[in-house]
Amino acid sequence: MKKSFLQTLGPGLLFAGAAIGVSHLVQSTRAGAEFGFGLIWALIIVHIFKYPFFQFGPRYAAATGETLIEGYRKLGKGVLITYYILNFATMFTIQAAVTIVTASLASQLFGFNEKLNLVDWSISLMIISILILVLGKYKLLDNLMKYIITILTISTILALGVALFTTKEAFDVTQIIPSGKIEITFLIAFLGWMPAPLDISIWHSIWSIEKDKTAFIKTKRKDAIFDFNIGYISALFLGLCFLLLGALVMYKSGETFSNKGTLFASQLINLYTKNLGEFSYIFIAVAAFTTMFSTTITTMDASPRVMNRTTKILFDKELKHGYWFWILFLFLGTFLILKYFMNNMGLLIKTATILSFLSAPFYAILNFKLITGKQTPKEHRPSIYLKVLSFLGIFFLISFSVWFLMNL
């Protein structure tokens, strides 16, 4: 039985849903607002150099029927323990960062109730996400993401189209190399989650295996890579859209973003509508909220899957209802972070994105070693061109990490 085009798609769109979030809505918009078109080079180059390591997730899953987690165990127990610690240390911060932005936008889009603060909004959104996962599991998440990405793309293109036709400023496409501690820190934070943290390659490999469980036909490597490319190109395209939106309507406006969630969301939407007109409110609000809600759902699903599978492999014992245990644990941990750090959203996001960038070389080297080693059948290993790009990508990630640390 031959798969239709829509049936082929799945994990790649979940990747896009997880990727298109804080990195796009917050970091890309800030990049455009603060540097104009000056950081387009950074947006494009980071997509090029991270590409192989993200692609190796679905490639390995299609080649072996295993996730990258099983692959890491084959590279040594110490490798998997290191990953386990890294993931545990960052999953609450990542979930908190994406949820607080989503909650801030929800309060603007659906009306802000004085009795319902951002922590309440965050709890509500996480509960809705959990209910979606409880009721539909992977299949519903897979199908839902097709609609979310479609709505997001249409509303973002409409907003960008309005901005392009209404701007009266001349385009200055001069590229900028940030200098000074503040600008370099922003650049590293921008690159850290653009298009996503590299550990999402592990999530992707898990979603690929889950996709096969719900399908009648096992996904072929060609289909898996095609699906990934669709998601990856979507992330690049929408990242560029948000950067251009930030540049067109916010650059040199004199506005500075607040680190408080509600104020940030209000500033973001109001600054767009002030420049584009009140009629654009619904396009901006829907695009922004859809962006973040898709990320909230996918991160709420992925981290528990990862922790459950890693725990099982490390301790050679499966925890009963382990997936749901980790979902509740993630929910509680995120709640505690939001309760005490809600008013410093900027610091929360910056910390999470910088940690993601500094850990990127670790994941890049592991993914490359796994896909080119004996763990992967020869016919599924990458071409010489992809290997060369991988070497360049590892050099890029390490170099930027060293550059950042030297400028602290």
Side-chain angles (χ1 to χ4, degrees):
M1 185 184 296
K2 190 176 180 181
K3 285 187 177 183
S4 69
F5 174 75
L6 286 178
Q7 286 176 325
T8 301
L9 301 180
L13 293 184
L14 291 181
F15 167 85
I20 303 166
V22 173
S23 59
H24 292 62
L25 185 66
V26 180
Q27 301 295 72
S28 289
T29 306
R30 280 184 185 271
E34 296 180 19
F35 296 92
F37 297 116
L39 290 185
I40 290 177
W41 70 269
L43 176 75
I44 294 174
I45 202 171
V46 78
H47 277 81
I48 293 173
F49 285 134
K50 281 187 177 181
Y51 174 81
F53 313 115
F54 282 121
Q55 194 227 70
F56 293 159
R59 178 187 282 265
Y60 183 78
T64 65
E66 296 179 345
T67 72
L68 287 176
I69 298 173
E70 281 87 2
Y72 288 176
R73 178 63 183 89
K74 291 178 179 179
L75 293 177
K77 193 171 183 178
V79 170
L80 192 57
I81 290 173
T82 303
Y83 167 66
Y84 190 78
I85 294 170
L86 271 175
N87 192 68
F88 186 83
T90 57
M91 69 177 190
F92 302 106
T93 308
I94 290 173
Q95 189 67 51
V98 300
T99 305
I100 195 65
V101 177
T102 312
S104 302
L105 292 163
S107 71
Q108 291 295 310
L109 183 58
F110 302 113
F112 187 78
N113 187 329
E114 292 295 332
K115 295 180 180 179
L116 196 64
N117 59 36
L118 286 187
V119 175
D120 296 328
W121 272 109
S122 298
I123 292 171
S124 301
L125 289 167
M126 285 194 290
I127 289 174
I128 292 171
S129 299
I130 291 172
L131 286 174
I132 289 172
L133 297 173
V134 168
L135 295 173
K137 299 183 180 179
Y138 174 83
K139 193 167 185 180
L140 178 60
L141 183 63
D142 184 4
N143 292 329
L144 185 64
M145 202 52 58
K146 292 180 175 72
Y147 294 104
I148 288 177
I149 295 298
T150 301
I151 293 169
L152 167 62
T153 303
I154 292 172
S155 55
T156 305
I157 290 173
L158 286 172
L160 180 59
V162 172
L164 285 170
F165 282 108
T166 57
T167 185
K168 296 178 182 178
E169 298 292 329
F171 295 167
D172 181 3
V173 294
T174 304
Q175 297 303 287
I176 299 170
I177 304 293
S179 60
K181 183 178 178 180
I182 295 176
E183 288 190 356
I184 291 174
T185 299
F186 173 80
L187 177 63
I188 295 299
F190 177 56
L191 297 176
W193 273 9
M194 183 53 68
L198 267 186
D199 50 322
I200 287 185
S201 61
I202 301 162
W203 302 4
H204 197 159
S205 69
I206 291 177
W207 286 325
S208 295
I209 299 299
E210 291 298 320
K211 173 78 172 179
D212 282 346
K213 288 180 182 177
T214 64
F216 295 106
I217 307 173
K218 187 179 182 298
T219 303
K220 296 179 182 178
R221 185 192 67 181
K222 189 168 106 175
D223 289 338
I225 293 175
F226 173 76
D227 170 55
F228 165 74
N229 286 339
I230 293 292
Y232 202 76
I233 292 170
S234 298
L236 170 60
F237 174 73
L238 289 171
L240 184 60
C241 284
F242 278 111
L243 188 148
L244 293 177
L245 276 169
L248 290 169
V249 303
M250 298 182 188
Y251 187 48
K252 294 182 179 179
S253 68
E255 293 278 348
T256 56
F257 285 111
S258 170
N259 282 332
K260 292 185 177 181
T262 308
L263 289 178
F264 171 82
S266 176
Q267 285 178 313
L268 178 68
I269 295 174
N270 289 339
L271 197 53
Y272 278 120
T273 55
K274 184 176 73 176
N275 285 274
L276 304 180
E278 290 299 323
F279 70 92
S280 67
Y281 175 89
I282 190 63
F283 299 130
I284 297 298
V286 170
F289 177 74
T290 308
T291 300
M292 292 312 309
F293 188 54
S294 68
T295 308
T296 301
I297 297 174
T298 49
T299 52
M300 183 64 73
D301 173 73
S303 291
R305 286 189 190 278
V306 163
M307 293 304 294
N308 183 45
R309 190 176 286 261
T310 310
T311 302
K312 177 185 175 182
I313 295 171
L314 272 180
F315 300 102
D316 197 26
K317 185 178 180 181
E318 187 165 9
L319 181 66
K320 191 176 181 181
H321 305 302
Y323 172 68
W324 301 113
F325 165 80
W326 283 108
I327 277 191
L328 291 176
F329 196 57
L330 177 62
F331 175 84
L332 292 173
T334 303
F335 166 73
L336 290 175
I337 289 178
L338 293 175
K339 179 109 177 134
Y340 296 103
F341 293 95
M342 182 187 68
N343 289 329
N344 209 340
M345 185 184 72
L347 178 62
L348 192 67
I349 293 172
K350 188 181 292 184
T351 301
T353 52
I354 289 174
L355 283 174
S356 293
F357 189 82
L358 293 178
S359 63
F362 170 77
Y363 295 112
I365 292 169
L366 288 183
N367 289 4
F368 179 74
K369 189 174 181 181
L370 194 58
I371 203 70
T372 57
K374 62 183 181 181
Q375 297 82 7
T376 304
K378 285 186 179 180
E379 63 271 21
H380 292 282
R381 293 174 192 172
S383 66
I384 185 65
Y385 302 107
L386 207 53
K387 288 179 181 178
V388 170
L389 183 58
S390 299
F391 283 120
L392 292 173
I394 291 170
F395 176 76
F396 167 79
L397 293 170
I398 292 175
S399 299
F400 264 81
S401 296
V402 171
W403 180 46
F404 169 68
L405 293 173
M406 288 176 63
N407 283 277
L408 284 177

